[in-house]
Amino acid sequence: MLTKKLQPDDSTAEANQSQFYMSSSKEFNWENFETKGFGEGYSKEQREQMAAMYEGTLNEITEKEVIKGVVVGVNDKDVIINIGFKSDGLVPLSEFRDVAGIKPGDEVEVFIEEQENALGQLILSRKKAKIVKAWQDIESALEHDSVIEGLVKRRTKGGLIVDIYGVEAFLPGSQIDVKPIRDFDIYVGKKMEVKVVKINHANDNVVVSHKVLIEKDLEKQKAEILNNLEKGQVLEGVIKNMTNFGVFIDLGGVDGLLHITDISWGRINHPEEVLQLDQKVQIVVLDFDDDKKRISLGMKQLTAHPWDSLAANLEIGSRVQGKIVNVADYGAFLELAPGVEGLIHVSEMSWSQHLRNPADFVKVGDEIEAVVLTLDKDERKMSLGIKQLTEDPWTKGDMSTKYAVGTKHKGVVRNLTNFGLFLELEEGIDGLVHVSDLSWTKKIKHPSEFVKVGDELDVAVLELDVENRRLALGHKQLEENPWDTFETVFPVGSVHKCTVVSKNDKGAVLELPYGLEGFATVKNLEKEDGSQVEVGEALDFRVTEFSKDDKRIVLSHTATFREEAKAAKKAAAPKKKGNESVDMPAPAEKSTLGDLDALAELKEKMEGKK
């Protein structure tokens, strides 16, 4: 409840009355004044004048502002506060939980919500006063760029929530420190100095930064480091970030890059194999640009190069042991010691002339033995081989007898070319089968018409040259040359049933018995009715040319009916004796029948051989 300040015994009222008496003593006779009770004895005019003087002793207050007041009383629920107004205000005791032992006489700041509500009470709030005051302090901190202390209450998405003056402010993760922060929880519950960097009044949002405080401290340190920076200088830094190509190291406000190749003399796939985030490391300055914005660092350079400590007896031909650390398309790298590697080219993995993928022979992590082929300690290069661990098949003692001319073998087709195919008889022993040595009867333009890669093929050795590592092979030589027999089967003038396989502007390819092919020119494809022979037709053709050496047979369909017609006409012509004409039809008919019988006999003979 509020206490009305209208009692005449109030010290303020007495003072006002004294002043009133002094100022009005000239205006009326004190002897005529009679006191009959409280408030009596004053004229209306005098009472108005005294009330005006009384009102002048009260403060003028404005709603929605913060004002200081004095605690005049405390009970179980409320705190009574005098702000110099005509009535005291009440503030719930719960708003003073942060104050230990609130008592009369204490001075506090309160927010005036209403001068007088419907019940005539003065409405005050300390909670709102704190909020208003907090915002005033926050705005002042932003305006004057001052440092304030806050308490980290909790973590949130993307940063932390910091309590400053009772207002929750957002501290982004990127503004916590100059280095990336991976665990925000370590800051919760701790005090932290920050600066206000942004205020959004529309949403009552405040953004603060701790990073700006650190950056200022680092500026001096950074300038000192850059001024004294020089190549070869050894520094201490903290690993700030890791990537697959290297790590960024904080040198004290200055970042430098330690490339993955400069971490260790040995081969590593990722920096995390040997380093950790936030780890302190010793590094050496390798290089930097004119502006000193890009600084290259090294770690392996702090130790001696492992090539300098190689065994003195290591030489060409030595056998070495190591681990495969990388496999590429062209070969594999064998690590003999950290930082000492040799290349095993794919051609040095097998005696086979057909290069395969290095992954077919080795894989990363394999520990194998190899032979040193070349060694250059000055250039720090070494080439190795693993096929040298086994004997070269071309130098074996039985090579000349095993692959003597005429011997028969079976191999695997490894490669096809326009002129033939390469056949692998064993690991490291390859031979060439020319396209002309594939078949006696078929004209093969490309080996792919006969075989495919991976097929097995029987061959005979045609030529052996051990010194030059050459081996000529043939497939058709496994059988006798059938052209010796074809010379008697397909003599010039003989007629055979042939199928037209293909045609072009020069003529047609014919399929003969025994899988042979023949050729007929365009003019020899004319039928008896004047039309042309078409692809797929099977007709009689007469052999007009046979070449055993060139393996060529030329035929004609036109000749079959023209020769028969010519022979018949010749047989039917009468013989002349003197001036007389002699008609001899009988001999002509006999001759024609004889020719037909001979052709039929030849055809039966050929069909019988089939």
Side-chain angles (χ1 to χ4, degrees):
M1 296 296 291
L2 298 180
T3 305
K4 293 291 184 177
K5 297 185 177 182
L6 298 177
Q7 300 298 328
D9 56 346
D10 186 270
S11 59
T12 303
E14 291 177 353
N16 291 337
Q17 288 178 5
S18 299
Q19 294 176 4
F20 173 75
Y21 295 151
M22 292 173 63
S23 61
S24 59
S25 58
K26 298 178 181 181
E27 299 180 4
F28 66 96
N29 190 351
W30 282 92
E31 297 177 355
N32 298 329
F33 181 76
E34 293 182 4
T35 301
K36 298 182 179 179
F38 180 77
E40 296 182 0
Y42 293 100
S43 66
K44 179 179 180 181
E45 184 177 329
Q46 291 172 336
R47 280 198 299 271
E48 289 178 355
Q49 186 179 5
M50 189 171 65
M53 293 176 64
Y54 179 79
E55 290 291 339
T57 64
L58 301 177
N59 292 329
E60 292 187 4
I61 62 173
T62 305
E63 292 184 357
K64 313 303 180 186
E65 72 172 1
V66 177
I67 192 171
K68 288 186 177 180
V70 179
V71 177
V72 296
V74 179
N75 57 36
D76 295 339
K77 295 182 178 181
D78 303 304
V79 176
I80 305 169
I81 298 177
N82 176 18
I83 62 171
F85 193 51
K86 60 185 179 180
S87 62
D88 293 334
L90 296 181
V91 177
L93 183 62
S94 60
E95 295 189 14
F96 291 88
R97 290 176 179 173
D98 58 326
V99 179
I102 186 72
K103 61 184 183 302
D106 290 344
E107 189 175 73
V108 296
E109 289 185 337
V110 291
F111 178 79
I112 303 173
E113 293 195 64
E114 291 184 72
Q115 292 187 16
E116 190 173 358
N117 63 2
L119 301 178
Q121 296 176 328
L122 174 63
I123 308 300
L124 305 176
S125 173
R126 181 172 179 269
K127 180 179 179 181
K128 290 185 178 181
K130 290 173 62 179
I131 295 175
V132 172
K133 184 64 168 59
W135 279 100
Q136 291 174 350
D137 292 341
I138 290 172
E139 290 175 351
S140 175
L142 177 62
E143 181 180 354
H144 298 94
D145 193 32
S146 56
V147 179
I148 55 179
E149 187 178 74
L151 177 66
V152 180
K153 297 181 66 176
R154 63 183 183 279
R155 66 169 297 173
T156 186
K157 183 179 180 181
L160 300 170
I161 298 298
V162 181
D163 186 329
I164 52 174
Y165 303 127
V167 176
E168 291 188 347
F170 177 60
L171 174 60
S174 60
Q175 294 298 314
I176 297 176
D177 205 335
V178 291
K179 60 182 179 180
I181 302 299
R182 286 165 288 279
D183 184 12
F184 292 170
D185 291 331
I186 60 175
Y187 296 97
V188 176
K190 296 181 180 178
K191 292 183 178 181
M192 180 183 293
E193 289 187 336
V194 295
K195 276 190 175 183
V196 179
V197 295
K198 184 178 180 182
I199 298 176
N200 187 339
H201 292 283
N203 299 322
D204 289 341
N205 289 338
V206 181
V207 181
V208 296
S209 172
H210 178 67
K211 178 180 177 181
V212 294
L213 300 178
I214 302 176
E215 287 176 337
K216 285 190 175 182
D217 296 336
L218 291 178
E219 283 299 322
K220 294 181 180 179
Q221 187 176 349
K222 180 179 179 180
E224 184 178 351
I225 292 174
L226 292 178
N227 290 334
N228 299 326
L229 194 66
E230 59 184 22
K231 295 180 182 179
Q233 184 180 12
V234 178
L235 301 172
E236 183 180 73
V238 179
I239 296 177
K240 181 178 179 180
N241 191 22
M242 282 192 179
T243 67
N244 56 355
F245 58 84
V247 298
F248 290 94
I249 297 181
D250 183 3
L251 304 176
V254 181
D255 288 347
L257 174 63
L258 173 62
H259 197 270
I260 188 171
T261 56
D262 291 314
I263 295 176
S264 170
W265 291 115
R267 186 185 293 266
I268 58 176
N269 297 316
H270 197 281
E272 63 186 7
E273 295 178 11
V274 293
L275 298 173
Q276 296 178 350
L277 288 170
D278 301 325
Q279 179 182 349
K280 286 186 178 181
V281 292
Q282 293 284 331
I283 38 81
V284 60
V285 178
L286 301 180
D287 199 4
F288 51 82
D289 59 11
D290 295 336
D291 297 332
K292 298 182 180 179
K293 292 181 179 179
R294 294 183 179 180
I295 305 174
S296 297
L297 306 173
M299 181 180 291
K300 70 181 184 182
Q301 288 79 4
L302 296 173
T303 59
H305 199 291
W307 270 87
D308 299 333
S309 58
L310 284 178
N313 59 353
L314 184 66
E315 57 186 12
I316 295 176
S318 300
R319 290 196 174 192
V320 293
Q321 193 83 17
K323 182 175 68 173
I324 299 295
V325 292
N326 189 31
V327 178
D329 294 336
Y330 53 86
F333 290 90
L334 186 70
E335 184 183 61
L336 309 185
V340 180
E341 297 177 4
L343 171 64
I344 307 174
H345 195 269
V346 65
S347 61
E348 303 299 338
M349 293 183 175
S350 170
W351 290 110
S352 175
Q353 299 301 310
H354 303 287
L355 300 183
R356 287 177 275 178
N357 193 317
D360 297 337
F361 300 95
V362 295
K363 63 180 183 296
V364 174
D366 286 350
E367 293 190 0
I368 63 171
E369 189 178 25
V371 176
V372 178
L373 303 181
T374 64
L375 180 63
D376 189 340
K377 292 186 178 180
D378 294 332
E379 294 293 329
R380 293 169 178 171
K381 292 182 179 179
M382 182 191 311
S383 62
L384 307 171
I386 54 177
K387 72 180 184 182
Q388 290 76 10
L389 297 172
T390 59
E391 186 180 0
D392 184 353
W394 281 93
T395 61
K396 291 182 179 179
D398 62 345
M399 182 68 187
S400 299
T401 56
K402 184 176 181 180
Y403 295 103
V405 175
T407 55
K408 297 179 181 179
H409 305 274
K410 179 179 287 188
V412 179
V413 178
R414 292 299 185 190
N415 191 25
L416 301 178
T417 67
N418 292 329
F419 55 84
L421 60 91
F422 287 94
L423 197 73
E424 186 178 51
L425 303 181
E426 65 174 273
E427 185 80 11
I429 302 296
D430 296 340
L432 172 64
V433 182
H434 196 272
V435 66
S436 61
D437 291 318
L438 289 174
S439 175
W440 288 110
T441 59
K442 294 183 179 180
K443 290 185 179 180
I444 301 173
K445 297 180 180 180
H446 194 277
S448 59
E449 300 173 10
F450 192 83
V451 293
K452 61 181 182 293
V453 174
D455 287 350
E456 288 189 343
L457 189 68
D458 292 316
V459 293
V461 178
L462 304 182
E463 181 184 348
L464 175 64
D465 185 350
V466 176
E467 184 176 352
N468 294 313
R469 296 173 180 255
R470 292 179 181 174
L471 188 61
L473 307 171
H475 174 68
K476 70 181 184 180
Q477 287 76 8
L478 296 174
E479 301 175 353
E480 294 183 3
N481 188 350
W483 284 90
D484 296 334
T485 305
F486 293 157
E487 190 175 16
T488 59
V489 178
F490 300 99
V492 175
S494 60
V495 178
H496 307 274
K497 182 75 73 175
C498 302
T499 303
V500 180
V501 177
S502 63
K503 284 180 66 177
N504 54 35
D505 56 352
K506 294 181 179 180
V509 177
L510 308 175
E511 182 182 355
L512 284 72
Y514 308 108
L516 291 177
E517 287 186 353
F519 183 76
T521 59
V522 174
K523 67 178 183 179
N524 288 305
L525 294 175
E526 185 180 347
K527 294 183 181 180
E528 191 172 1
D529 59 2
S531 62
Q532 285 282 318
V533 177
E534 298 298 333
V535 175
E537 290 190 85
L539 301 171
D540 288 336
F541 282 79
R542 185 184 297 278
V543 178
T544 60
E545 182 184 345
F546 182 90
S547 176
K548 172 184 175 182
D549 297 332
D550 296 334
K551 299 179 179 59
R552 184 176 74 251
I553 303 176
V554 182
L555 306 99
S556 172
H557 172 69
T558 306
T560 58
F561 60 83
R562 285 184 178 175
E563 290 295 330
E564 291 177 2
K566 186 177 180 181
K569 183 177 180 181
K570 183 178 180 181
K575 292 184 178 181
K576 295 182 178 180
K577 192 174 182 180
N579 295 326
E580 295 181 358
S581 177
V582 181
D583 188 8
M584 300 177 65
E589 182 180 355
K590 185 177 180 181
S591 177
T592 303
L593 291 173
D595 290 342
L596 294 174
D597 291 342
L599 290 172
E601 183 179 353
L602 180 59
K603 183 177 181 181
E604 290 177 359
K605 180 180 179 181
M606 290 171 57
E607 290 177 350
K609 287 186 176 183
K610 290 182 182 180

